[in-house]
Amino acid sequence: NSGKASLLSNVCCEDVDNMKAAGSSSASTSAAAAAACLARPTPGAPSGGISLRIGILTVSDRAADNQYATGDLSGPAVEASLEKVVGEINAASAGGGSVSYSVVVKAIVPDEIDDIKRTLRQWSGKVEAENNTSTCDIIITTGGTGFSPRDVTPEATQAVLDRESRGLMGWVSSECSASQPLAALSRGTAGMCGNTLVANLPGSPAGVKQVMQILFPLLVHAAKDIQAS
């Protein structure tokens, strides 16, 4: 794989940026794309601050079947990005509030529409969860957003959303595609399931990092609007 595939790859447990590059040109392109996505000002916390309950759902047949020696790398990439981005949000705030969060639930499911839908409904409080899972303010999925026949995360998500935010993920892809054209091929969606925000991220840990930097500050402000209502 070339470095250009880093954002779109849904190989959730292998960071394609760590694979041997086909050449120095492709590696440089990947680095430039990541730098362009990350080099932007981070919005501060919403007025009054906010506390968030986060759910992280990895969607991958192979991870669900424990086929990776490394284990799941995508879910941990989301957690690492959360810590980094929240720190930057709070650093950018001018004393008007801060963002705190806790990851209240994590899971890995195969690329099956019914499994994804059931988990999203449980975590959003739409149906009773078997293990008394706390209702999440934000659910972040990772994996299953590409064009493989098994990539069904957007379809499963759309099936449970009450209100879809059609432009949000398109804008995120557009921002990254300015320097990485293949970013526009990500099919992830976002919206509200009950009062829970759901957003689809790619499965590549490098892609997670790039998208979270742009997306999560916006989700924070959307979640504040929901809580205020």
Side-chain angles (χ1 to χ4, degrees):
N1 289 332
S2 72
K4 287 185 178 181
S6 65
L7 181 60
L8 294 174
S9 171
N10 282 308
V11 180
C12 78
C13 299
E14 298 180 75
D15 188 344
V16 295
D17 278 354
N18 291 332
M19 296 180 183
K20 192 171 184 178
S24 60
S25 175
S26 62
S28 298
T29 301
S30 178
C37 284
L38 299 178
R40 65 186 69 248
T42 300
S47 177
I50 190 171
S51 177
L52 297 168
R53 296 161 296 179
I54 308 293
I56 300 173
L57 179 63
T58 299
V59 182
S60 166
D61 286 332
R62 286 178 287 179
D65 199 34
N66 294 313
Q67 293 184 20
Y68 291 110
T70 60
D72 172 35
L73 296 181
S74 298
V78 174
E79 288 196 75
S81 294
L82 271 171
E83 182 176 2
K84 179 177 184 295
V85 175
V86 168
E88 292 173 353
I89 292 171
N90 289 336
S93 300
S98 63
V99 176
S100 63
Y101 75 93
S102 58
V103 178
V104 296
V105 61
K106 298 181 285 186
I108 303 172
V109 298
D111 294 283
E112 296 287 350
I113 286 181
D114 287 344
D115 289 343
I116 301 167
K117 287 167 56 178
R118 179 171 56 253
T119 304
L120 294 179
R121 285 177 174 142
Q122 289 177 346
W123 292 6
S124 63
K126 281 293 195 72
V127 298
E128 185 176 351
E130 296 177 359
N131 55 355
N132 295 319
T133 300
S134 297
T135 300
C136 300
D137 297 300
I138 298 174
I139 300 172
I140 299 169
T141 75
T142 172
T145 63
F147 283 83
S148 165
R150 295 289 293 167
D151 289 336
V152 296
T153 304
E155 286 73 22
T157 302
Q158 288 169 346
V160 303
L161 291 181
D162 299 303
R163 303 171 68 186
E164 185 177 5
S165 179
R166 295 182 181 274
L168 180 57
M169 297 308 294
W171 179 79
V172 170
S173 292
S174 177
E175 285 293 290
C176 278
S177 67
S179 57
Q180 168 57 288
L182 292 178
L185 296 177
S186 182
R187 299 190 307 111
T189 190
M192 293 174 61
C193 181
N195 288 323
T196 298
L197 287 165
V198 182
N200 302 152
L201 272 58
S204 159
V208 165
K209 178 180 179 181
Q210 292 170 14
V211 173
M212 282 288 289
Q213 188 76 24
I214 301 171
L215 174 65
F216 193 74
L218 302 180
L219 295 180
V220 168
H221 284 265
K224 180 68 173 184
D225 287 345
I226 294 170
Q227 290 186 7
S229 64

